[in-house]
Amino acid sequence: MMISTRGRYALTVMIYLSDHGGRFVPLKEIAEKEGISEKYLENIISALSKENYLEGLRGKGGGYRLTREPADYSVGAILRLVEGPLAPVSCLEQSPNPCEKAGTCRTLPMWEKLGDMINRYLDGITLAEFADVMADAETPS
């Protein structure tokens, strides 16, 4: 499993918006501050908006913002939305497993356990935790 640029940028957008206290943030601002193509972000924002992770407002003072509190978004859910399943092997991308060798595959239990670990780990991290990390990094020692 490898997280694509799309997945990394989706997380970047969500973290950026979580840092802005519920105000609408223009797409152009996000693109400039994060160094991401505005055109590329439009596609990601569209996917996030379609699933009600974000809401948009047109016109002056418009932009995008989260629809819920940062603690209500898991990294796993965001990545699955834009990446699809976070399976370590292709045969685990569908349920039930379509592989004709699933019943006799000696490595399948290992891959299933790894997939469960990956999903539990990423589902256990929320956007709110990134804000805490940044606040800690900005606090002088």
Side-chain angles (χ1 to χ4, degrees):
M1 174 195 77
M2 184 180 296
I3 304 299
S4 70
T5 302
R6 180 177 165 87
R8 293 192 323 267
Y9 287 174
L11 278 176
T12 299
V13 167
M14 296 294 285
I15 292 166
Y16 190 90
L17 292 174
S18 75
D19 288 341
H20 286 81
R23 79 170 174 87
F24 285 97
V25 180
L27 184 63
K28 184 175 183 168
E29 176 184 324
I30 300 168
E32 287 175 1
K33 296 283 185 180
E34 297 297 335
I36 303 170
S37 157
E38 195 171 336
K39 200 74 168 155
Y40 193 65
L41 280 183
E42 286 174 359
N43 186 282
I44 294 169
I45 292 279
S46 174
L48 294 167
S49 295
K50 206 176 289 185
E51 294 299 320
N52 203 34
Y53 280 48
L54 306 176
E55 66 178 327
L57 179 67
R58 293 180 185 259
K60 186 175 170 89
Y64 295 92
R65 70 177 179 187
L66 302 179
T67 57
R68 303 184 300 266
E69 292 297 314
D72 295 334
Y73 295 92
S74 78
V75 168
I78 295 164
L79 290 175
R80 278 189 296 276
L81 175 66
V82 297
E83 295 279 346
L86 301 174
V89 291
S90 62
C91 65
L92 294 177
E93 291 178 348
Q94 297 177 9
S95 183
N97 187 331
C99 181
E100 60 190 41
K101 296 180 181 179
T104 59
C105 180
R106 295 171 67 180
T107 60
L108 183 59
M110 175 191 63
W111 296 125
E112 289 172 333
K113 188 172 182 178
L114 177 59
D116 288 344
M117 290 169 62
I118 290 168
N119 282 286
R120 273 195 318 273
Y121 176 73
L122 293 174
D123 287 339
I125 303 169
T126 69
L127 292 183
E129 292 177 51
F130 290 98
D132 294 341
V133 169
M134 292 308 296
D136 291 345
E138 294 171 2
T139 304
S141 302

